Amino acid sequence: MASEPSTLSSLATRKTLCAVPLRASDVPVTTADCRTCSDPCDLGHDAYPRRFDIDMDTDMLGSVKPYHRQIVISTGKSDWERDITDDKNSLASALLEVSTKPTSPMLPSSPKPASPPPNKGVRPVTGLFSTSDSSRTSVLNGSHKTVCHEDDHESVLVFPDFKVVTEVRRSLQGAREFYECALDPSVGTDGSYLEKSILKSWILPYACVILICSHKKRDNRCGIAAPKLEHAFIRSLEAQGWDADTQLEHPELTMGIPLEDLNVTAEERYENISSQLKESSESKRALIVKVSHVGGHKYAGNCIIYTPSGSGIWYGRVTPHDVDSVVVNTIIDGLVLPPLLRGGVNLSRPSCKTLNDW
């Protein structure tokens, strides 16, 4: 027992050291414990099986490949072919062809505020990036069902824009139209609106969206981890007085008319979107979606948490024992837990005390 205080002191020191470079890069962090229960657990968390082997030695920070946008396509499933583009009748396959060989001219971009310059003398932290660092679109399949009436029309979540685009046809033409309106790197977060387009988009009415990798055919560990993490997140969020959804309602029921139907100027549209995002951030509602392979299955369980303020936090090695801390510290308080961090988009927030600040 005499060695226990020394062990705890060493753990606290490591957590502090992990937080130092992140703080220097203006990432809001906390040194709170990732695990809030004892070991063995005394709170009834649903643990992983004993033979659940993952990489506990490699430094996870920096294991995320930068992207401009990440999208999640409605499939109503929690497992898919090993490579989601192998299904040639899928929207993922069509988007792969369109995004690598776009046939439409680049669309004019909406004005964006300039990214703040990095702190002088501070070495950039590998794994942290902004949307301007890449033109790549990361394409995932999701467990949410489409809210469209047509069976071959998908409902696609778009991040970090924090919106859902509906009526995306599962075809090359539909993928091309979606790419031009929502994914082309030259298109701003307020979107681009083509005449006679059937696409409709809404800001998501949630304070966060939690993506959990469940791609069993890619790696069995993700298939084991996902349902346990989903259950833990629902339980923890509800204990905090939040609603936790696993399926989308049709956005017309909660968000009114789509962005395309707003009869406003470009400046008014931008202000309307900003207002809706801030309203979402105060909703105490979370959407949980199981998704296809995000990379790094050796770090299962893998979770990505998106916020209305535009941040995307990638966590790895997450267990049901860590979820209470993730909910309180990251989702509610807007602070990153460094020991779980793999990387993320728009995490550097100068002049902001939390990721939930504007």
Side-chain angles (χ1 to χ4, degrees):
M1 294 298 292
S3 63
E4 187 175 351
S6 176
T7 302
L8 293 175
S9 176
S10 176
L11 179 60
T13 300
R14 288 200 300 270
K15 286 193 296 183
T16 301
L17 290 175
C18 288
V20 169
L22 294 171
R23 283 201 179 103
S25 296
D26 296 313
V27 178
V29 300
T30 176
T31 55
D33 291 335
C34 298
R35 178 170 179 153
T36 56
C37 59
S38 62
D39 188 5
C41 177
D42 57 355
L43 296 179
H45 296 141
D46 191 6
Y48 296 149
R50 289 185 178 181
R51 302 185 73 175
F52 189 86
D53 295 324
I54 61 170
D55 181 348
M56 296 297 296
D57 301 317
T58 306
D59 185 1
M60 290 192 298
L61 188 56
S63 60
V64 178
K65 184 178 179 181
Y67 50 86
H68 188 75
R69 284 187 172 95
Q70 184 168 66
I71 65 169
V72 187
I73 302 168
S74 57
T75 69
K77 303 176 182 178
S78 59
D79 196 22
W80 305 267
E81 295 300 320
R82 189 177 190 281
D83 190 330
I84 60 173
T85 58
D86 284 348
D87 181 356
K88 299 308 178 184
N89 295 318
S90 68
L91 181 58
S93 178
L95 280 168
L96 176 65
E97 182 172 342
V98 168
S99 61
T100 54
K101 297 179 181 179
T103 57
S104 300
M106 298 292 277
L107 299 172
S109 64
S110 302
K112 300 179 185 177
S115 299
N119 293 337
K120 292 183 178 180
V122 175
R123 181 179 298 177
V125 177
T126 304
L128 306 185
F129 59 96
S130 66
T131 54
S132 60
D133 293 331
S134 175
S135 60
R136 185 175 74 94
T137 298
S138 168
V139 179
L140 306 176
N141 278 346
S143 58
H144 61 298
K145 299 176 183 178
T146 185
V147 297
C148 306
H149 297 300
E150 301 293 336
D151 291 340
D152 62 344
H153 288 196
E154 306 291 9
S155 304
V156 186
L157 310 179
V158 182
F159 301 107
D161 305 49
F162 212 75
K163 65 183 179 183
V164 58
V165 181
T166 67
E167 308 303 339
V168 184
R169 289 170 290 184
R170 200 184 306 135
S171 64
L172 272 177
Q173 182 180 354
R176 188 173 297 115
E177 181 181 27
F178 178 48
Y179 182 86
E180 292 176 359
C181 290
L183 303 184
D184 191 307
S186 66
V187 175
T189 55
D190 52 347
S192 177
Y193 306 100
L194 303 178
E195 287 188 26
K196 299 181 180 179
S197 171
I198 65 171
L199 299 183
K200 301 295 180 183
S201 57
W202 288 264
I203 297 300
L204 290 164
Y206 300 98
C208 74
V209 176
I210 305 164
L211 308 181
I212 305 173
C213 183
S214 64
H215 203 158
K216 184 176 181 179
K217 288 189 177 70
R218 192 71 179 240
D219 192 286
N220 190 51
R221 290 169 293 189
C222 297
I224 293 171
K228 294 179 182 294
L229 290 176
E230 179 186 52
H231 175 75
F233 271 112
I234 292 172
R235 174 179 168 179
S236 184
L237 286 161
E238 290 180 346
Q240 294 293 331
W242 283 46
D243 292 328
D245 298 337
T246 57
Q247 291 294 333
L248 282 170
E249 292 181 298
H250 198 290
E252 282 185 343
L253 300 176
T254 53
M255 301 303 288
I257 65 172
L259 299 177
E260 289 78 3
D261 292 350
L262 293 175
N263 186 19
V264 293
T265 66
E267 183 177 352
E268 290 170 336
R269 184 184 305 278
Y270 180 83
E271 292 175 354
N272 182 282
I273 290 173
S274 297
S275 176
Q276 288 190 48
L277 288 168
K278 290 177 181 178
E279 184 178 344
S280 291
S281 69
E282 299 171 356
S283 67
K284 289 192 176 183
R285 297 181 65 197
L287 176 66
I288 304 171
V289 179
K290 296 190 286 291
V291 297
S292 57
H293 181 59
V294 299
H297 45 251
K298 65 180 180 179
Y299 302 128
N302 282 295
C303 302
I304 309 170
I305 301 170
Y306 283 105
T307 69
S309 62
S311 295
I313 309 105
W314 285 59
Y315 280 157
R317 300 181 184 136
V318 181
T319 74
H321 308 296
D322 303 314
V323 168
D324 286 342
S325 184
V326 171
V327 167
V328 171
N329 290 292
T330 301
I331 293 176
I332 296 176
D333 291 344
L335 300 174
V336 170
L337 291 159
L340 299 177
L341 188 65
R342 292 185 55 193
V345 58
N346 300 334
L347 298 189
S348 180
R349 303 293 296 276
S351 303
C352 291
K353 293 184 178 180
T354 80
L355 295 176
N356 297 331
D357 294 339
W358 296 82

